[in-house]
Amino acid sequence: MQRRKFIGKAALVSLASIIGADIVYGSKMVENYIPLALQDPDPFKLFNKDKEMVVLNDKPWNMEAQAHLLDDKITPNKFVFVRNNGLIPEDIDVKNWTLDFDGESVQQKKTYTLEELKSKFKHYTYQLTLECGGNGRSEFDPPAKGNQWTIGAVYCASWTGVRLRDVLEDVGIKDDAVYFGYHAADLHLSRDPSKEPISRGAPMAKAMQDETLLAFKMNGEDIPLAHGYPLRVIAGGWPASVSGKWLQRISIRNIVHDGTKMTGTAYRVPCKPVAPGAKVADEDMCIIESMPVKSLITYPKSGAIISKGKKLNIRGHAWAGELEVVKMEYSIDFGATWKVCKLDKPANRLAWQHFSAAIDFPKEGYYEVWAKATDANGVSQPMLLPGWNPKGYLNNACHRIAVKIA
Amino acid sequence: MKNPNHEKLRKDFGGVYKVVIIAFASIAVLSIGVIYLMTNPEFSFYENTDSDSETVAVPTEEDDFDKVENGIHVRTGFIEAPGMIETVQNCTNCHSAKLVMQNRMNKERWKSTIKWMQDTQNLWDLGENEDIIIDYLVTNYPPKKKGRREVLADIDWYELKD
C-alpha cells in the first residue's frame, strides 16, 4: 500500500545514484516541488502546516484552522486551510506547464506557457479572502453531508498574478460568453483519468473583475503545492472552489459551466428557503455566488480567564463576499445589547477587514463574547444558524468565544 | 544406437541450457541486489551525493491491517462492531474513513449517498453488503441533535496574561 510504494520510490532513488542515470526525481526536480510519495507522510510537515491545524480528512486531504490561528492580518501558509476534492497532482512539470483556453465562446483556442503569462501581462497583487462554501457545515441540524468544517476554512492571503480579464482580452472572447470554467491537474479519487474531481467557474462578470487573477504567488512566494502550484484562479469573495488550483485549462462557455461540482447539490443551495432536512429537487437549487457577511474573533483564544476590573482587548476579521463590511459589533449578553467595534477599511476590495474592541465586564462570571458584522447592504450575521440546505453551505452565524471573569 | 542428429541436438540444448542458467543466475544476483536496496534504501555508493536521501524514510509499523485496539480498528479508526470489515473493505478505497465517520446520516440518506457514489464516483454494486454497511453506520455513527445553535463545549480554560 502506501508503505510499499514508498519503499519502491526510495529504492529507485538509491538505484539511480548507483547507476548514475537520470530519473524523474533527484537533481532534475523542480525547485519547491517534491513528489508527494517521497515526502513525509506527516500532513503537517507535508504541507508545512502548524501543529494546531485540524485534519478532517486524509484522503482527500482536508485540514482547517482554529479561530485563534487566524489572528494575522495576512494569513501565513501554515494557517491556511487545505481543501481538496481529489488527489493532489503527483507530477508537476513546471517548465512545460501550459494554460489552454478553449470553449464555445473563444474566438480561437490559445495556449500560453507559464513564462508567457508572467512576461506578457502586467502583474497585480491583492489581499483576497477565500472561504470554503461549506465552512461552518458542522453546525447544521440535521447534519449536512461532507467534510464537517467548523470555523477555520477561511483565510486572507496576498495573491500575485495576472488579471484573467487581460488574458481573456488577448485570447479574444465572443459576445455570447456566459461563464468560465476551469480544468486542473488533480486526480479523481477513483484515479479514473476520465473523471475530473472538480471543474467549477463563475459568470463572465466575475472573470472580468480587477481582482480576479491567474495567480502564481501566494504571500510573495511560489504557491504551495497544496494550494495550487504553479498556477491557480483566485476569485475572492466567492466560494473558494471557484478559485481552481493546478490550473491547466479555462473554457469560455456560452452556457453556465456544467463541469463537476457545478450541478446537483454541490456548491448550490435551495433557490427558495426550505425546512431543515427537506428534499430539494435539482431544478430548485441555485449556484452560490458571493459569500455572505461573516466575522471571526481571532484574539483571544476562547477560554480566557481574566481578573475582575481588567479590560479585555479583542480583535479579529470581518468579510462580506463581494461587499464591504460597514459595521462591526460585539455583545457580552447574548445579543441583548451590542457595542460597536473599531473597524478598518479593507486593504483592497475583497480583502478581509480587521476589527478590535476593549471590553469591560460588569461583574465576575461566565461570559460569551459574540461578534456581528453588517455589510454595505445592511445585512448582518444571524446569531442562530441560517437557512438549512442539503450540503450545509453558507453558515455565517455569529462567532463567539467563552470568557471567565474571576 | 546413436543418432548424429540427436548428438547435435543435445549439444545445442546444452548450449541453450548454459545461456538459460547464466541468465537465471544473473537475474538472481540482480534480484538480491535490488532486494538489498529495497530494504536498505539509504544505501549508496556515493556518500550523501543525493539530497533526496533525507526525504526517504521507511515507516516501521507492521502491516497488520486489521488490528483492533480498545474497540477501534487501528488502521481506519472505525468502531469495532458487526459490519465494520465490510465498511472498511468497501468504503475506504477511494476516500478516507475520516470522511465516513464525520457524516452522520440516517438510513435513507446513506442509501442516496451510496447511489450518488455509484452514479458518479465509480463505486461498485455493494450487493448484500449495502444493508450491512448502512446498519453499521447508523448504529455506530448516528446523527446527533444540535438544534439551532449548540452550547460552547470543550472549553480549554486558561489564564490570559497581557
Side-chain angles (χ1 to χ4, degrees):
Chain A
M1 320 236 7
Q2 198 52 40
R3 179 169 168 252
R4 259 163 238 147
K5 196 169 155 195
F6 222 64
I7 296 172
K9 300 239 164 145
L12 202 67
V13 170
S14 300
L15 205 70
S17 64
I18 291 168
I19 58 176
D22 271 332
I23 48 164
V24 201
Y25 311 101
S27 61
K28 287 198 125 185
M29 211 156 65
V30 182
E31 208 185 323
N32 193 37
Y33 177 65
I34 302 166
L36 278 183
L38 285 178
Q39 294 188 356
D40 201 302
D42 173 350
F44 303 98
K45 284 188 195 159
L46 187 64
F47 303 123
N48 293 314
K49 295 298 175 189
D50 189 89
K51 282 280 179 202
E52 285 192 80
M53 296 287 283
V54 179
V55 175
L56 298 180
N57 199 343
D58 50 23
K59 191 181 169 192
W61 283 109
N62 285 282
M63 195 190 274
E64 73 171 332
Q66 304 180 52
H68 68 279
L69 300 180
L70 293 169
D71 196 37
D72 297 271
K73 291 188 170 178
I74 295 177
T75 315
N77 173 56
K78 63 180 175 177
F79 300 133
V80 171
F81 77 95
V82 177
R83 196 284 182 258
N84 288 302
N85 289 266
L87 304 170
I88 293 174
E90 288 167 351
D91 296 296
I92 289 180
D93 181 0
V94 73
K95 288 204 173 78
N96 295 309
W97 193 271
T98 53
L99 175 63
D100 297 332
F101 283 85
D102 66 6
E104 303 91 351
S105 297
V106 287
Q107 275 164 12
Q108 80 283 315
K109 287 188 181 180
K110 200 150 179 178
T111 299
Y112 298 91
T113 65
L114 201 52
E115 270 323 297
E116 280 170 338
L117 281 177
K118 289 181 184 175
S119 58
K120 198 169 173 176
F121 302 98
K122 196 179 166 198
H123 296 190
Y124 295 89
T125 298
Y126 297 106
Q127 293 175 27
L128 297 166
T129 310
L130 290 188
E131 181 177 17
C132 175
N135 196 22
R137 174 178 294 142
S138 63
E139 290 194 283
F140 281 100
D141 182 13
K145 212 175 84 176
N147 286 292
Q148 298 297 302
W149 303 101
T150 63
I151 45 180
V154 62
Y155 69 109
C156 184
S158 167
W159 292 96
T160 302
V162 299
R163 283 182 175 153
L164 176 55
R165 182 181 69 215
D166 290 350
V167 183
L168 290 179
E169 275 164 10
D170 191 65
V171 171
I173 301 301
K174 292 184 193 163
D175 289 342
D176 65 350
V178 169
Y179 227 87
F180 81 90
Y182 65 75
H183 304 275
D186 47 349
L187 303 172
H188 193 266
L189 288 178
S190 65
R191 294 192 169 269
D192 178 346
S194 68
K195 285 184 180 293
E196 287 182 289
I198 186 161
S199 169
R200 304 198 67 246
M204 290 311 290
K206 183 66 179 168
M208 297 310 222
Q209 285 182 358
D210 284 356
E211 302 83 4
T212 301
L213 300 179
L214 300 176
F216 38 79
K217 279 185 189 296
M218 184 182 103
N219 296 338
E221 291 173 9
D222 283 350
I223 301 172
L225 177 61
H227 301 297
Y229 180 76
L231 186 68
R232 74 177 293 184
V233 177
I234 295 291
W238 286 43
S241 56
V242 176
S243 298
K245 303 190 273 188
W246 312 292
L247 180 68
Q248 287 182 314
R249 180 160 63 95
I250 288 183
S251 302
I252 302 300
R253 310 296 310 271
N254 62 2
I255 54 165
V256 172
H257 181 55
D258 51 1
T260 308
K261 305 223 171 179
M262 287 299 299
T263 55
T265 54
Y267 301 102
R268 303 205 307 167
V269 291
C271 304
K272 293 177 204 148
V274 301
K279 264 197 177 163
V280 188
D282 265 8
E283 60 269 26
D284 295 329
M285 298 285 279
C286 287
I287 299 169
I288 300 167
E289 297 197 334
S290 172
M291 292 294 285
V293 61
K294 200 166 171 181
S295 60
L296 211 48
I297 302 166
T298 58
Y299 180 88
K301 185 183 172 195
S302 185
I305 302 169
I306 60 170
S307 44
K308 197 180 160 216
K310 253 184 105 180
K311 268 184 192 296
L312 176 68
N313 292 304
I314 63 158
R315 60 176 181 256
H317 317 290
W319 60 98
E322 281 288 317
L323 300 173
E324 197 172 312
V325 175
V326 296
K327 189 161 75 169
M328 189 67 215
E329 295 163 287
Y330 73 87
S331 175
I332 57 167
D333 53 15
F334 303 95
T337 60
W338 292 93
K339 288 205 166 74
V340 175
C341 302
K342 177 181 172 288
L343 175 68
D344 294 346
K345 281 276 185 190
N348 50 255
R349 216 176 73 79
L350 312 179
W352 68 15
Q353 297 164 243
H354 317 298
F355 68 84
S356 59
I359 305 176
D360 282 315
F361 292 89
K363 54 185 168 193
E364 292 170 14
Y366 171 90
Y367 293 87
E368 289 177 13
V369 180
W370 289 58
K372 181 173 78 171
T374 303
D375 71 22
N377 289 346
V379 176
S380 301
Q381 292 179 257
M383 291 183 71
L384 299 179
L385 270 274
W388 186 90
N389 61 87
K391 285 294 295 283
Y393 294 117
L394 307 181
N395 175 9
N396 67 334
C398 291
H399 180 229
R400 62 232 154 105
I401 58 168
V403 174
K404 227 181 249 179
I405 311 300
Chain B
M1 242 182 33
K2 269 190 176 177
N3 183 324
N5 277 344
H6 272 186
E7 191 62 30
K8 187 175 179 296
L9 216 72
R10 209 162 48 204
K11 265 186 192 162
D12 284 353
F13 234 67
V16 170
Y17 237 152
K18 263 181 210 158
V19 172
V20 168
I21 286 168
I22 289 166
F24 266 93
S26 311
I27 288 168
V29 168
L30 255 172
S31 306
I32 290 166
V34 168
I35 289 166
Y36 177 67
L37 284 173
M38 288 176 123
T39 50
N40 298 273
E42 256 123 59
F43 172 81
S44 169
F45 283 153
Y46 314 104
E47 273 174 55
N48 263 341
T49 49
D50 197 329
S51 60
D52 283 329
S53 56
E54 60 195 85
T55 65
V56 170
V58 180
T60 49
E61 86 272 16
E62 287 179 19
D63 279 359
D64 188 356
F65 280 166
D66 289 319
K67 194 160 123 190
V68 172
E69 254 174 34
N70 305 321
I72 298 292
H73 185 243
V74 175
R75 178 162 57 94
T76 60
F78 276 129
I79 296 167
E80 191 196 25
M84 183 197 77
I85 289 297
E86 289 82 353
T87 306
V88 169
Q89 285 169 349
N90 290 284
C91 307
T92 60
N93 294 276
C94 287
H95 56 70
S96 164
K98 286 186 163 68
L99 187 62
V100 184
M101 288 181 277
Q102 283 183 69
N103 280 282
R104 303 302 180 100
M105 293 190 267
N106 61 22
K107 199 168 180 154
E108 185 197 6
R109 292 185 69 209
W110 272 119
K111 263 198 188 303
S112 77
T113 301
I114 287 168
K115 186 171 183 306
W116 172 79
M117 287 189 274
Q118 286 166 337
D119 290 347
T120 67
Q121 307 294 304
N122 291 0
L123 175 63
W124 46 85
D125 181 1
L126 296 171
E128 57 194 22
N129 283 334
E130 180 163 323
D131 285 338
I132 296 172
I133 290 167
I134 292 176
D135 284 345
Y136 169 77
L137 292 174
V138 297
T139 307
N140 295 285
Y141 300 96
K144 186 177 119 190
K145 275 276 160 215
K146 291 181 252 187
R148 273 280 171 193
R149 206 77 210 258
E150 281 188 292
V151 167
L152 289 177
D154 305 322
I155 300 165
D156 194 5
W157 293 106
Y158 65 97
E159 208 86 46
L160 179 67
K161 307 171 195 100
D162 63 0

